[in-house]
Protein backbone atom coordinates (compact mmCIF):
# COMPACT_ATOMS: atom_id res chain seq x y z
CA UNK A 1 0.00 0.00 0.00
CA UNK A 2 1.48 3.32 -1.01
CA UNK A 3 1.77 6.23 1.37
CA UNK A 4 -1.24 8.36 0.14
CA UNK A 5 -3.63 5.41 0.40
CA UNK A 6 -2.31 4.52 3.84
CA UNK A 7 -2.81 8.10 5.03
CA UNK A 8 -6.33 8.18 3.60
CA UNK A 9 -7.15 4.89 5.34
CA UNK A 10 -5.93 6.27 8.68
CA UNK A 11 -8.01 9.42 8.18
CA UNK A 12 -11.16 7.44 7.37
CA UNK A 13 -10.59 5.17 10.37
CA UNK A 14 -10.14 8.21 12.60
CA UNK A 15 -13.35 9.75 11.26
CA UNK A 16 -15.29 6.53 11.89
CA UNK A 17 -13.83 6.33 15.42
CA UNK A 18 -14.80 9.95 16.09
CA UNK A 19 -18.31 9.27 14.79
CA UNK A 20 -18.69 6.21 17.01
CA UNK A 21 -17.40 8.07 20.09
CA UNK A 22 -19.67 11.06 19.41
CA UNK A 23 -22.77 8.89 18.90
CA UNK A 24 -21.97 6.95 22.07
CA UNK A 25 -21.66 10.16 24.06
CA UNK A 26 -24.94 11.50 22.65
CA UNK A 27 -26.89 8.27 23.18
CA UNK A 28 -25.58 7.44 26.64
CA UNK A 29 -23.66 10.17 28.45
CA UNK A 30 -25.79 13.09 27.21
CA UNK A 31 -29.12 11.31 26.72
CA UNK A 32 -30.63 12.40 30.01
CA UNK A 33 -29.59 16.06 29.74
CA UNK A 34 -30.67 16.29 26.11
CA UNK A 35 -34.01 14.75 26.96
CA UNK A 36 -34.54 17.26 29.74
CA UNK A 37 -33.87 20.31 27.53
CA UNK A 38 -36.86 22.63 27.36
CA UNK A 39 -36.19 23.18 23.65
CA UNK A 40 -36.38 19.45 22.89
CA UNK A 41 -39.97 19.41 21.64
CA UNK A 42 -39.77 15.81 20.43
CA UNK A 43 -39.04 14.60 23.96
CA UNK A 44 -41.80 16.82 25.34
CA UNK A 45 -44.32 15.44 22.87
CA UNK A 46 -43.22 11.90 23.69
CA UNK A 47 -43.68 12.61 27.41
CA UNK A 48 -47.11 14.10 26.81
CA UNK A 49 -48.14 11.02 24.84
CA UNK A 50 -47.24 8.94 27.90
CA UNK A 51 -49.71 8.74 30.78
CA UNK A 52 -48.09 10.66 33.62
CA UNK A 53 -48.44 9.28 37.14
CA UNK A 54 -50.88 10.79 39.62
CA UNK A 55 -50.09 12.65 42.83
CA UNK A 56 -52.27 11.24 45.60
CA UNK A 57 -53.41 12.74 48.92
CA UNK A 58 -55.66 10.69 51.19
CA UNK A 59 -56.53 8.30 48.36
CA UNK A 60 -57.60 11.08 45.99
CA UNK A 61 -55.66 12.41 43.02
CA UNK A 62 -54.66 16.05 43.37
CA UNK A 63 -52.80 15.86 40.04
CA UNK A 64 -53.67 13.41 37.26
CA UNK A 65 -53.50 12.88 33.51
CA UNK A 66 -56.80 12.87 31.61
CA UNK A 67 -57.04 11.38 28.06
CA UNK A 68 -57.81 13.97 25.36
CA UNK A 69 -58.22 13.91 21.59
CA UNK A 70 -55.28 16.01 20.44
CA UNK A 71 -51.59 15.56 19.61
CA UNK A 72 -50.65 15.57 23.30
CA UNK A 73 -53.05 12.70 24.16
CA UNK A 74 -53.11 13.51 27.91
CA UNK A 75 -54.03 16.72 29.72
CA UNK A 76 -52.69 17.34 33.20
CA UNK A 77 -55.53 18.14 35.60
CA UNK A 78 -55.57 19.50 39.17
CA UNK A 79 -59.01 18.75 40.66
CA UNK A 80 -58.50 20.80 43.86
CA UNK A 81 -56.52 23.55 42.11
CA UNK A 82 -55.43 26.15 44.72
CA UNK A 83 -55.45 23.90 47.78
CA UNK A 84 -52.48 21.82 46.60
CA UNK A 85 -50.94 24.11 43.96
CA UNK A 86 -47.70 24.73 45.85
CA UNK A 87 -47.24 21.01 46.42
CA UNK A 88 -48.07 19.80 42.93
CA UNK A 89 -46.70 22.70 40.90
CA UNK A 90 -47.81 22.35 37.28
CA UNK A 91 -46.90 20.44 34.13
CA UNK A 92 -47.09 22.62 31.04
CA UNK A 93 -45.97 22.14 27.45
CA UNK A 94 -45.46 25.86 26.87
CA UNK A 95 -44.26 26.96 30.32
CA UNK A 96 -42.45 23.90 31.67
CA UNK A 97 -42.71 22.60 35.23
CA UNK A 98 -40.52 24.89 37.31
CA UNK A 99 -42.24 24.37 40.65
CA UNK A 100 -43.50 21.71 43.02
CA UNK A 101 -43.51 17.95 42.73
CA UNK A 102 -44.20 18.02 38.99
CA UNK A 103 -40.60 19.18 38.74
CA UNK A 104 -38.93 17.62 41.81
CA UNK A 105 -40.47 14.16 41.23
CA UNK A 106 -40.57 14.38 37.43
CA UNK A 107 -38.49 11.24 36.90
CA UNK A 108 -41.03 9.19 38.89
CA UNK A 109 -44.15 10.81 37.44
CA UNK A 110 -42.86 10.52 33.87
CA UNK A 111 -41.71 6.92 34.30
CA UNK A 112 -38.04 7.75 33.66
CA UNK A 113 -36.75 7.02 37.18
CA UNK A 114 -34.08 4.36 37.68
CA UNK A 115 -36.50 2.47 39.95
CA UNK A 116 -38.76 1.96 36.89
CA UNK A 117 -36.03 0.59 34.60
CA UNK A 118 -37.30 -3.01 34.68
CA UNK A 119 -40.81 -1.80 33.94
CA UNK A 120 -39.57 0.19 30.95
CA UNK A 121 -37.68 -2.82 29.57
CA UNK A 122 -40.79 -5.00 29.99
CA UNK A 123 -42.89 -2.38 28.23
CA UNK A 124 -40.40 -2.28 25.37
CA UNK A 125 -40.48 -6.06 24.95
CA UNK A 126 -44.28 -6.37 25.19
CA UNK A 127 -45.03 -3.25 23.18
CA UNK A 128 -46.97 -1.78 26.09
CA UNK A 129 -46.98 2.02 26.41
CA UNK A 130 -44.84 3.17 29.33
CA UNK A 131 -46.63 5.19 31.99
CA UNK A 132 -45.45 7.08 35.05
CA UNK A 133 -45.51 6.10 38.70
CA UNK A 134 -48.11 7.23 41.23
CA UNK A 135 -46.75 9.32 44.09
CA UNK A 136 -48.62 9.24 47.40
CA UNK A 137 -47.97 12.11 49.82
CA UNK A 138 -47.77 12.27 53.61
CA UNK A 139 -50.28 15.15 53.61
CA UNK A 140 -53.46 14.60 55.62
CA UNK A 141 -56.33 16.16 53.60
CA UNK A 142 -58.26 17.11 56.75
CA UNK A 143 -55.26 18.91 58.22
CA UNK A 144 -54.44 20.58 54.89
CA UNK A 145 -58.00 21.89 54.59
CA UNK A 146 -57.94 23.16 58.18
CA UNK A 147 -54.68 25.02 57.60
CA UNK A 148 -55.96 26.53 54.35
CA UNK A 149 -59.22 27.68 55.93
CA UNK A 150 -57.55 29.05 59.06
CA UNK A 151 -54.97 31.05 57.10
CA UNK A 152 -57.80 32.44 55.00
CA UNK A 153 -57.12 35.67 53.12
CA UNK A 154 -53.89 36.33 55.02
CA UNK A 155 -50.60 36.22 53.19
CA UNK A 156 -48.24 33.70 54.74
CA UNK A 157 -47.68 30.00 55.33
CA UNK A 158 -48.52 27.06 57.58
CA UNK A 159 -46.52 23.85 58.06
CA UNK A 160 -47.51 20.87 60.22
CA UNK A 161 -45.16 17.97 60.97
CA UNK A 162 -45.30 14.64 62.75
CA UNK A 163 -42.55 15.26 65.36
CA UNK A 164 -41.62 11.58 65.64
CA UNK A 165 -41.14 10.87 61.92
CA UNK A 166 -40.72 14.18 60.12
CA UNK A 167 -43.72 13.44 57.86
CA UNK A 168 -45.28 16.65 56.54
CA UNK A 169 -48.99 16.62 57.44
CA UNK A 170 -49.91 20.00 55.94
CA UNK A 171 -48.18 22.64 53.87
CA UNK A 172 -50.13 25.73 52.86
CA UNK A 173 -48.96 28.97 51.27
CA UNK A 174 -51.12 32.03 50.56
CA UNK A 175 -51.85 33.56 48.16
CA UNK A 176 -52.18 30.51 45.94
CA UNK A 177 -52.99 30.00 42.26
CA UNK A 178 -54.87 27.65 39.93
CA UNK A 179 -52.42 25.43 38.00
CA UNK A 180 -55.06 24.24 35.49
CA UNK A 181 -54.80 27.18 33.03
CA UNK A 182 -51.02 26.72 32.98
CA UNK A 183 -51.44 23.08 31.94
CA UNK A 184 -53.84 23.96 29.12
CA UNK A 185 -53.09 22.65 25.63
CA UNK A 186 -54.21 26.04 24.34
CA UNK A 187 -50.68 27.43 24.31
CA UNK A 188 -51.83 31.04 24.08
CA UNK A 189 -54.05 30.59 27.12
CA UNK A 190 -51.23 28.89 29.05
CA UNK A 191 -48.76 31.65 28.16
CA UNK A 192 -51.20 34.36 29.29
CA UNK A 193 -51.82 32.50 32.56
CA UNK A 194 -48.08 32.31 33.22
CA UNK A 195 -47.58 35.97 32.32
CA UNK A 196 -50.27 36.95 34.80
CA UNK A 197 -48.92 34.67 37.52
CA UNK A 198 -45.24 35.52 37.12
CA UNK A 199 -45.82 39.29 37.20
CA UNK A 200 -48.21 39.32 40.18
CA UNK A 201 -46.57 41.48 42.88
CA UNK A 202 -47.88 39.15 45.61
CA UNK A 203 -45.93 36.22 44.09
CA UNK A 204 -48.66 33.57 44.42
CA UNK A 205 -46.38 31.05 42.69
CA UNK A 206 -43.95 31.22 45.64
CA UNK A 207 -44.24 28.39 48.14
CA UNK A 208 -43.73 30.52 51.23
CA UNK A 209 -43.59 27.43 53.46
CA UNK A 210 -40.22 26.32 52.05
CA UNK A 211 -39.02 29.25 49.91
CA UNK A 212 -40.17 32.19 52.00
CA UNK A 213 -37.28 33.57 54.08
CA UNK A 214 -38.34 35.59 57.12
CA UNK A 215 -36.83 37.00 60.30
CA UNK A 216 -38.18 34.64 62.99
CA UNK A 217 -38.62 37.31 65.65
CA UNK A 218 -39.31 36.06 69.14
CA UNK A 219 -39.87 32.45 68.08
CA UNK A 220 -36.06 32.29 67.89
CA UNK A 221 -35.94 32.88 71.64
CA UNK A 222 -36.56 29.17 72.19
CA UNK A 223 -33.26 28.50 70.38
CA UNK A 224 -31.52 31.11 72.53
CA UNK A 225 -33.00 29.49 75.65
CA UNK A 226 -31.86 26.09 74.38
CA UNK A 227 -28.31 27.36 73.90
CA UNK A 228 -28.26 28.93 77.37
CA UNK A 229 -29.49 25.71 79.01
CA UNK A 230 -27.10 23.50 77.03
CA UNK A 231 -24.14 25.78 77.75
CA UNK A 232 -24.88 26.08 81.47
CA UNK A 233 -25.50 29.85 81.37
CA UNK A 234 -28.77 28.98 83.14
CA UNK A 235 -29.62 25.76 84.96
CA UNK A 236 -33.39 25.46 84.60
CA UNK A 237 -36.61 27.35 83.89
CA UNK A 238 -36.54 29.04 87.31
CA UNK A 239 -33.04 30.47 86.95
CA UNK A 240 -32.79 34.19 87.65
CA UNK A 241 -31.93 36.27 84.58
CA UNK A 242 -31.59 39.99 83.87
CA UNK A 243 -34.72 41.77 82.66
CA UNK A 244 -34.18 45.55 82.67
CA UNK A 245 -36.32 47.96 80.67
CA UNK A 246 -33.31 48.53 78.39
CA UNK A 247 -30.20 46.45 77.84
CA UNK A 248 -26.99 48.42 77.57
CA UNK A 249 -25.18 47.07 74.51
CA UNK A 250 -21.39 47.32 74.17
CA UNK A 251 -19.72 48.95 71.16
CA UNK A 252 -22.73 51.17 70.46
CA UNK A 253 -24.77 53.99 71.93
CA UNK A 254 -27.98 52.23 70.90
CA UNK A 255 -29.62 50.12 73.60
CA UNK A 256 -31.95 47.14 73.27
CA UNK A 257 -35.34 48.01 74.81
CA UNK A 258 -38.34 45.96 75.82
CA UNK A 259 -41.25 46.70 73.56
CA UNK A 260 -43.43 48.03 76.38
CA UNK A 261 -40.59 50.11 77.84
CA UNK A 262 -40.79 48.38 81.22
CA UNK A 263 -38.61 46.00 83.19
CA UNK A 264 -39.60 42.34 83.03
CA UNK A 265 -39.57 41.90 86.81
CA UNK A 266 -38.75 43.58 90.13
CA UNK A 267 -35.18 44.79 90.59
CA UNK A 268 -34.62 44.33 86.84
CA UNK A 269 -34.67 40.55 87.23
CA UNK A 270 -37.01 37.74 86.31
CA UNK A 271 -36.98 33.98 85.79
CA UNK A 272 -36.23 32.31 82.48
CA UNK A 273 -39.74 30.85 82.25
CA UNK A 274 -41.40 34.21 82.90
CA UNK A 275 -39.10 35.88 80.37
CA UNK A 276 -40.34 33.47 77.70
CA UNK A 277 -43.98 33.88 78.78
CA UNK A 278 -43.85 37.63 78.20
CA UNK A 279 -41.14 37.45 75.50
CA UNK A 280 -38.72 39.73 77.36
CA UNK A 281 -36.26 41.19 74.84
CA UNK A 282 -33.67 42.30 77.36
CA UNK A 283 -33.46 38.86 78.98
CA UNK A 284 -32.76 37.09 75.72
CA UNK A 285 -30.52 39.87 74.47
CA UNK A 286 -28.51 39.47 77.68
CA UNK A 287 -28.28 35.71 77.10
CA UNK A 288 -27.07 36.46 73.57
CA UNK A 289 -24.28 38.61 75.01
CA UNK A 290 -23.29 35.85 77.45
CA UNK A 291 -23.31 33.14 74.79
CA UNK A 292 -21.82 35.05 71.88
CA UNK A 293 -22.76 34.74 68.23
CA UNK A 294 -20.99 31.46 67.48
CA UNK A 295 -22.76 29.51 70.22
CA UNK A 296 -26.11 30.86 69.04
CA UNK A 297 -25.22 29.89 65.49
CA UNK A 298 -24.07 26.43 66.56
CA UNK A 299 -27.29 25.79 68.47
CA UNK A 300 -29.42 26.92 65.54
CA UNK A 301 -27.40 24.60 63.28
CA UNK A 302 -28.34 21.65 65.49
CA UNK A 303 -31.99 22.41 64.72
CA UNK A 304 -31.28 22.48 60.97
CA UNK A 305 -30.21 26.06 60.22
CA UNK A 306 -27.64 25.99 57.44
CA UNK A 307 -28.72 22.59 56.10
CA UNK A 308 -29.72 22.12 52.46
CA UNK A 309 -32.90 20.07 52.59
CA UNK A 310 -34.98 18.47 49.85
CA UNK A 311 -38.44 17.05 50.59
CA UNK A 312 -37.99 16.38 47.52
CA UNK A 313 -38.55 20.07 46.56
CA UNK A 314 -35.54 22.14 47.51
CA UNK A 315 -35.96 24.06 50.78
CA UNK A 316 -34.38 27.50 51.13
CA UNK A 317 -31.56 27.47 53.65
CA UNK A 318 -32.22 29.12 57.01
CA UNK A 319 -29.29 31.04 58.43
CA UNK A 320 -27.68 32.81 61.36
CA UNK A 321 -24.84 35.12 60.24
CA UNK A 322 -21.25 34.26 61.08
CA UNK A 323 -18.86 36.58 62.93
CA UNK A 324 -21.48 38.42 64.96
CA UNK A 325 -20.18 41.14 67.23
CA UNK A 326 -21.74 41.62 70.68
CA UNK A 327 -24.61 43.97 69.72
CA UNK A 328 -25.41 41.80 66.71
CA UNK A 329 -25.44 38.67 68.89
CA UNK A 330 -27.93 40.36 71.23
CA UNK A 331 -30.17 41.24 68.27
CA UNK A 332 -29.82 37.76 66.78
CA UNK A 333 -30.79 36.23 70.14
CA UNK A 334 -34.25 37.81 69.79
CA UNK A 335 -34.60 36.70 66.16
CA UNK A 336 -33.68 39.97 64.52
CA UNK A 337 -30.56 41.40 62.83
CA UNK A 338 -29.91 39.11 59.81
CA UNK A 339 -31.35 35.85 61.16
CA UNK A 340 -33.58 34.36 58.44
CA UNK A 341 -35.66 31.20 58.34
CA UNK A 342 -38.45 29.32 56.59
CA UNK A 343 -41.72 28.22 58.21
CA UNK A 344 -40.66 24.59 57.65
CA UNK A 345 -37.47 25.21 59.63
CA UNK A 346 -39.38 26.72 62.57
CA UNK A 347 -41.79 23.77 62.52
CA UNK A 348 -38.71 21.56 62.79
CA UNK A 349 -37.55 23.55 65.82
CA UNK A 350 -40.89 23.02 67.57
CA UNK A 351 -40.97 19.36 66.54
CA UNK A 352 -37.43 18.78 67.80
CA UNK A 353 -38.22 20.17 71.23
CA UNK A 354 -41.40 18.08 71.40
CA UNK A 355 -39.52 14.96 70.28
CA UNK A 356 -37.16 14.98 73.29
CA UNK A 357 -34.57 17.07 71.49
CA UNK A 358 -34.38 14.91 68.35
CA UNK A 359 -35.01 16.70 65.03
CA UNK A 360 -36.28 14.37 62.31
CA UNK A 361 -35.60 14.89 58.61
CA UNK A 362 -38.81 16.18 56.99
CA UNK A 363 -40.27 14.33 54.00
CA UNK A 364 -43.33 14.60 51.75
CA UNK A 365 -43.52 11.34 49.76
CA UNK A 366 -45.18 8.43 51.57
CA UNK A 367 -44.93 5.83 48.82
CA UNK A 368 -44.44 5.35 45.08
CA UNK A 369 -46.42 2.80 43.04
CA UNK A 370 -45.90 1.57 39.50
CA UNK A 371 -48.69 1.70 36.92
CA UNK A 372 -49.88 -1.76 38.02
CA UNK A 373 -49.94 -0.54 41.67
CA UNK A 374 -46.86 -2.45 42.82
CA UNK A 375 -45.06 -0.56 45.60
CA UNK A 376 -41.63 0.41 44.31
CA UNK A 377 -40.76 2.83 47.11
CA UNK A 378 -42.20 2.91 50.63
CA UNK A 379 -42.03 5.71 53.16
CA UNK A 380 -38.49 5.93 54.48
CA UNK A 381 -37.73 4.88 58.00
CA UNK A 382 -37.63 8.03 60.15
CA UNK A 383 -34.19 9.61 59.86
CA UNK A 384 -32.81 11.73 62.65
CA UNK A 385 -31.33 14.96 61.33
CA UNK A 386 -29.69 15.76 64.66
CA UNK A 387 -29.99 15.61 68.42
CA UNK A 388 -30.47 19.35 68.88
CA UNK A 389 -30.60 19.35 72.68
CA UNK A 390 -30.57 16.85 75.53
CA UNK A 391 -33.79 15.28 76.74
CA UNK A 392 -33.48 17.34 79.94
CA UNK A 393 -33.20 20.59 78.03
CA UNK A 394 -36.10 19.60 75.77
CA UNK A 395 -38.20 18.87 78.88
CA UNK A 396 -37.35 22.29 80.36
CA UNK A 397 -38.15 24.07 77.10
CA UNK A 398 -41.45 22.20 76.89
CA UNK A 399 -42.45 23.40 80.37
CA UNK A 400 -41.58 26.94 79.37
CA UNK A 401 -43.54 26.78 76.09
CA UNK A 402 -46.58 25.29 77.86
CA UNK A 403 -46.43 28.24 80.24
CA UNK A 404 -46.38 30.65 77.26
CA UNK A 405 -49.76 29.23 76.22
CA UNK A 406 -51.24 28.84 79.71
CA UNK A 407 -49.93 32.03 81.28
CA UNK A 408 -48.44 34.23 78.60
CA UNK A 409 -48.68 35.58 75.06
CA UNK A 410 -49.90 32.33 73.44
CA UNK A 411 -53.27 32.07 75.18
CA UNK A 412 -55.23 31.84 71.91
CA UNK A 413 -53.58 28.51 71.10
CA UNK A 414 -55.18 26.77 74.07
CA UNK A 415 -57.11 23.57 73.40
CA UNK A 416 -59.49 22.29 76.06
CA UNK A 417 -58.13 19.20 77.79
CA UNK A 418 -54.77 19.34 75.97
CA UNK A 419 -51.47 20.84 77.08
CA UNK A 420 -50.20 22.94 74.19
CA UNK A 421 -46.60 24.17 73.99
CA UNK A 422 -46.03 27.32 71.95
CA UNK A 423 -44.16 30.54 71.33
CA UNK A 424 -45.34 33.77 69.75
CA UNK A 425 -43.22 36.00 67.57
CA UNK A 426 -43.35 39.46 66.06
CA UNK A 427 -40.66 40.00 63.44
CA UNK A 428 -39.82 43.46 62.18
CA UNK A 429 -38.71 43.64 58.55
CA UNK A 430 -39.29 46.56 56.16
CA UNK A 431 -39.47 50.01 57.79
CA UNK A 432 -42.95 51.43 57.60
CA UNK A 433 -44.62 48.02 57.34
CA UNK A 434 -46.27 46.03 60.15
CA UNK A 435 -44.12 43.17 61.46
CA UNK A 436 -44.73 39.55 60.55
CA UNK A 437 -46.75 37.53 63.07
CA UNK A 438 -45.37 34.09 64.06
CA UNK A 439 -46.45 31.17 66.16
CA UNK A 440 -44.75 27.81 66.66
CA UNK A 441 -46.22 25.00 68.74
CA UNK A 442 -46.68 21.30 69.39
CA UNK A 443 -49.38 19.22 71.07
CA UNK A 444 -49.96 17.36 73.27
CA UNK A 445 -46.97 18.73 75.14
CA UNK A 446 -46.09 15.21 76.31
CA UNK A 447 -45.93 12.70 73.44
CA UNK A 448 -46.86 15.23 70.72
CA UNK A 449 -48.71 14.20 67.57
CA UNK A 450 -48.16 17.43 65.66
CA UNK A 451 -45.83 20.42 65.49
CA UNK A 452 -46.90 23.58 63.69
CA UNK A 453 -45.33 26.79 62.43
CA UNK A 454 -47.40 29.74 61.20
CA UNK A 455 -46.25 33.02 59.73
CA UNK A 456 -48.63 35.80 58.68
CA UNK A 457 -46.92 38.48 56.65
CA UNK A 458 -47.47 42.01 57.99
CA UNK A 459 -49.82 40.48 60.55
CA UNK A 460 -48.19 41.83 63.70
CA UNK A 461 -48.33 44.98 65.74
CA UNK A 462 -45.12 46.91 66.26
CA UNK A 463 -44.15 46.98 69.89
CA UNK A 464 -45.94 43.87 71.15
CA UNK A 465 -46.44 40.11 70.78
CA UNK A 466 -50.12 40.70 70.06
CA UNK A 467 -49.76 39.77 66.38
CA UNK A 468 -48.27 36.36 67.04
CA UNK A 469 -50.75 35.66 69.82
CA UNK A 470 -53.85 37.16 68.23
CA UNK A 471 -53.32 36.38 64.53
CA UNK A 472 -51.01 33.37 64.21
CA UNK A 473 -51.82 31.34 67.35
CA UNK A 474 -55.49 30.65 66.42
CA UNK A 475 -54.33 29.35 63.03
CA UNK A 476 -51.94 26.94 64.72
CA UNK A 477 -54.69 25.88 67.14
CA UNK A 478 -57.04 24.98 64.25
CA UNK A 479 -54.34 22.85 62.64
CA UNK A 480 -53.46 21.09 65.90
CA UNK A 481 -57.14 20.39 66.55
CA UNK A 482 -57.50 18.85 63.10
CA UNK A 483 -54.67 16.41 63.86
CA UNK A 484 -55.80 15.57 67.39
CA UNK A 485 -59.39 14.92 66.32
CA UNK A 486 -58.43 12.34 63.66
Amino acid sequence: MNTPIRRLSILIAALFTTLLVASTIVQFAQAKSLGAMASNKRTLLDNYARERGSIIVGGQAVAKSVPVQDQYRFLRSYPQDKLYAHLTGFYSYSVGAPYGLEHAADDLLSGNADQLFVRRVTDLITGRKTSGATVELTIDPKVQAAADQALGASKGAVVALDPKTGAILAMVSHPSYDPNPLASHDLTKAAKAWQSLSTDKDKPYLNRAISGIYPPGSTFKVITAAAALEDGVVSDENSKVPGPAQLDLPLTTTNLPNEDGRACGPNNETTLIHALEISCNTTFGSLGLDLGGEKLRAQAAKFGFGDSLQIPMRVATSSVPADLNAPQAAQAAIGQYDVRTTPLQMAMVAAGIGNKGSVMTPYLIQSVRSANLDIIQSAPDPVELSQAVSEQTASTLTKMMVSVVNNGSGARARISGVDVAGKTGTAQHDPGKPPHAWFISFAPAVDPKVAVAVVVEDGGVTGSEIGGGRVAAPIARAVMQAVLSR
Side-chain angles (χ1 to χ4, degrees):
M1 183 182 295
N2 58 36
T3 300
I5 294 176
R6 184 166 54 249
R7 289 175 178 173
L8 182 61
S9 300
I10 293 171
L11 176 62
I12 293 173
L15 290 173
F16 270 110
T17 301
T18 302
L19 180 62
L20 287 170
V21 170
S23 62
T24 300
I25 291 173
V26 169
Q27 292 184 54
F28 294 94
Q30 296 180 350
K32 193 168 185 178
S33 61
L34 291 171
M37 288 176 60
S39 58
N40 192 341
K41 301 301 182 184
R42 179 178 295 180
T43 299
L44 282 174
L45 285 171
D46 179 64
N47 285 341
Y48 263 82
R50 181 186 301 176
E51 185 174 6
R52 193 170 175 82
S54 297
I55 300 174
I56 303 293
V57 172
Q60 300 296 317
V62 297
K64 62 182 179 179
S65 292
V66 179
V68 291
Q69 299 299 318
D70 63 24
Q71 65 172 328
Y72 306 106
R73 297 189 59 188
F74 291 99
L75 174 68
R76 202 62 170 164
S77 174
Y78 305 92
Q80 299 195 52
D81 49 70
K82 292 185 177 182
L83 181 59
Y84 293 102
H86 291 102
L87 292 171
T88 62
F90 54 88
Y91 188 68
S92 171
Y93 183 82
S94 61
V95 180
Y99 303 106
L101 286 164
E102 292 281 27
H103 175 66
D106 178 66
D107 58 342
L108 292 168
L109 295 168
S110 66
N112 292 324
D114 293 340
Q115 300 97 306
L116 298 169
F117 175 75
V118 174
R119 175 77 182 188
R120 290 198 302 275
V121 172
T122 304
D123 290 343
L124 182 64
I125 294 172
T126 61
R128 182 174 51 201
K129 188 68 177 177
T130 297
S131 55
T134 293
V135 175
E136 182 181 9
L137 306 187
T138 57
I139 298 292
D140 185 310
K142 180 180 176 182
V143 182
Q144 181 81 356
D148 182 69
Q149 183 176 1
L151 189 56
S154 298
K155 188 187 297 183
V158 181
V159 178
L161 299 175
D162 182 331
K164 294 183 178 63
T165 66
I168 299 171
L169 304 177
M171 181 177 286
V172 169
S173 176
H174 284 183
S176 190
Y177 66 96
D178 184 354
N180 287 294
L182 296 158
S184 173
H185 290 174
D186 182 335
L187 303 188
T188 301
K189 178 181 177 181
K192 285 181 178 179
W194 173 243
Q195 175 67 17
S196 175
L197 181 65
S198 62
T199 57
D200 190 322
K201 63 181 180 61
D202 288 331
K203 298 183 178 179
Y205 60 84
L206 178 69
N207 185 347
R208 287 165 160 82
I210 59 173
S211 298
I213 298 289
Y214 304 92
S218 294
T219 59
F220 193 82
K221 290 173 181 174
V222 299
I223 296 178
T224 302
L229 287 162
E230 290 284 281
D231 196 60
V233 174
V234 292
S235 58
D236 57 34
E237 70 274 19
N238 295 311
S239 294
K240 289 287 187 178
V241 287
Q246 291 194 47
L247 180 64
D248 183 20
L249 298 178
L251 308 177
T252 179
T253 57
T254 302
N255 294 332
L256 176 63
N258 286 323
E259 300 292 3
D260 61 4
R262 297 183 294 179
C264 298
N267 302 316
N268 293 331
E269 282 189 334
T270 186
T271 60
L272 185 63
I273 190 169
H274 185 249
L276 196 72
E277 288 172 3
I278 64 173
S279 205
C280 181
N281 280 347
T282 57
T283 291
F284 289 94
S286 176
L287 291 176
L289 291 177
D290 291 341
L291 289 161
E294 282 310 300
K295 288 182 180 178
L296 281 174
R297 193 165 180 258
Q299 183 61 70
K302 290 180 180 179
F303 280 105
F305 279 67
D307 288 345
S308 297
L309 299 174
Q310 292 185 326
I311 59 172
M313 296 99 80
R314 190 182 70 82
V315 181
T317 304
S318 299
S319 62
V320 176
D323 302 321
L324 295 172
N325 63 26
Q328 292 167 348
Q331 289 285 346
I334 64 169
Q336 293 292 164
Y337 186 56
D338 287 337
V339 179
R340 295 294 182 268
T341 188
T342 63
L344 174 60
Q345 174 61 74
M346 292 314 295
M348 290 166 60
V349 171
I353 295 169
N355 194 38
K356 299 181 180 179
S358 175
V359 180
M360 308 306 291
T361 302
Y363 65 96
L364 186 59
I365 295 179
Q366 180 69 29
S367 65
V368 179
R369 294 178 181 269
S370 65
N372 59 359
L373 301 182
D374 292 333
I375 294 179
I376 59 174
Q377 180 179 313
S378 298
D381 292 332
V383 177
E384 184 183 68
L385 183 69
S386 66
Q387 184 71 33
V389 293
S390 67
E391 287 192 28
Q392 179 58 49
T393 294
S395 176
T396 300
L397 291 170
T398 298
K399 291 177 189 175
M400 293 165 60
M401 292 175 70
V402 169
S403 193
V404 168
V405 174
N406 289 343
N407 307 307
S409 57
R412 294 198 179 194
R414 293 174 188 163
I415 298 174
S416 179
V418 178
D419 281 333
V420 175
K423 181 67 188 81
T424 55
T426 302
Q428 297 176 11
H429 55 112
D430 294 337
K433 287 188 176 182
H436 300 321
W438 276 94
F439 194 75
I440 63 171
S441 58
F442 56 91
V446 177
D447 193 26
K449 303 296 186 294
V450 60
V452 181
V454 177
V455 64
V456 178
E457 294 183 14
D458 304 333
V461 177
T462 300
S464 76
E465 290 293 296
I466 194 171
R470 184 188 66 192
V471 177
I475 297 172
R477 179 186 63 205
V479 176
M480 291 185 288
Q481 286 176 321
V483 174
L484 298 178
S485 65
R486 291 186 299 180

